[in-house]
Amino acid sequence: MGALDYLSNFFTITTTVRKKRKAMQTVEIKVKMDCDGCERRVKNSVKSMKGVKTVEVNRKQSRVTVSGYVDRNRVLKRVKSTGKKAEFWPYIPQHLVYYPYAPGAYDKKAPAGYVRNVVQAFPAASSHAPEENFVSFFSDDNVNACSIM
């Protein structure tokens, strides 16, 4: 049986399990930093993680931006391990929101030009904004436009 076992090794299909590589992503985290020491501590803790390509710290906005092949929850956990209060970046630019003064969207603590990312600030997916309906009344594509005028 030695020869058959030897030959059977050439004809068997072996599968190697490969780890799925994480996708390149950018993680933004809000961290309260008061001084250069806080900034340096947060930056060094994240920079030492495996897969991190760049780390940008903006102390004025209390914002840390990490780019690389990392898991966003692990980055948040690493930042929290420094003893700082941290959360995912909750703000989006104000010009991307239809209703920036919706309840919960406007935040006094937000950096200039940003509002909180909440569902009420965006129109519902099934309904159109009322101003869009009025514009279509007098459109060249509307065959009933002459009857309205």
Side-chain angles (χ1 to χ4, degrees), residues 43 55 67 69-70 89 91 102 148:
K43 186 173 185 173
V55 178
S67 297
Y69 302 99
V70 292
W89 186 252
Y91 306 116
I148 295 173

Side-chain angles (χ1 to χ4, degrees), residues 97-107 115-116 118-122:
V97 178
Y98 284 103
Y99 311 113
Y101 296 105
Y106 184 73
D107 187 4
V115 293
R116 198 168 271 285
V118 293
V119 178
Q120 295 90 1
F122 295 100

Side-chain angles (χ1 to χ4, degrees), residues 12-131:
T12 58
I13 299 172
T14 58
T15 57
T16 57
V17 178
R18 286 189 174 185
K19 274 181 136 179
K20 185 177 180 184
R21 189 172 185 184
K22 294 180 181 126
M24 176 79 165
Q25 64 178 341
T26 301
V27 181
E28 294 179 336
I29 299 175
K30 179 182 175 185
V31 183
K32 178 69 176 152
M33 296 174 283
D34 299 322
C35 61
D36 291 335
C38 300
E39 182 179 335
R40 188 173 49 252
R41 187 180 313 140
V42 170
K43 186 173 185 173
N44 288 338
S45 70
V46 175
K47 194 189 308 184
S48 65
M49 290 180 67
K50 183 179 177 184
V52 173
K53 297 295 179 192
T54 61
V55 178
E56 298 173 13
V57 178
N58 188 340
R59 189 171 59 186
K60 186 175 181 181
Q61 289 185 345
S62 299
R63 181 182 199 170
V64 177
T65 306
V66 181
S67 297
Y69 302 99
V70 292
D71 180 31
R72 62 190 314 236
N73 292 322
R74 285 189 178 180
V75 174
L76 181 65
K77 188 175 181 181
R78 179 65 68 98
V79 171
K80 284 183 176 181
S81 71
T82 62
K84 299 291 175 191
K85 183 179 178 189
E87 63 178 329
F88 291 117
W89 186 252
Y91 306 116
I92 57 173
Q94 186 172 2
H95 68 275
L96 296 178
V97 178
Y98 284 103
Y99 311 113
Y101 296 105
Y106 184 73
D107 187 4
K108 290 181 181 179
K109 296 178 184 176
Y114 288 90
V115 293
R116 198 168 271 285
N117 189 7
V118 293
V119 178
Q120 295 90 1
F122 295 100
S126 63
S127 68
H128 298 287
E131 56 271 0

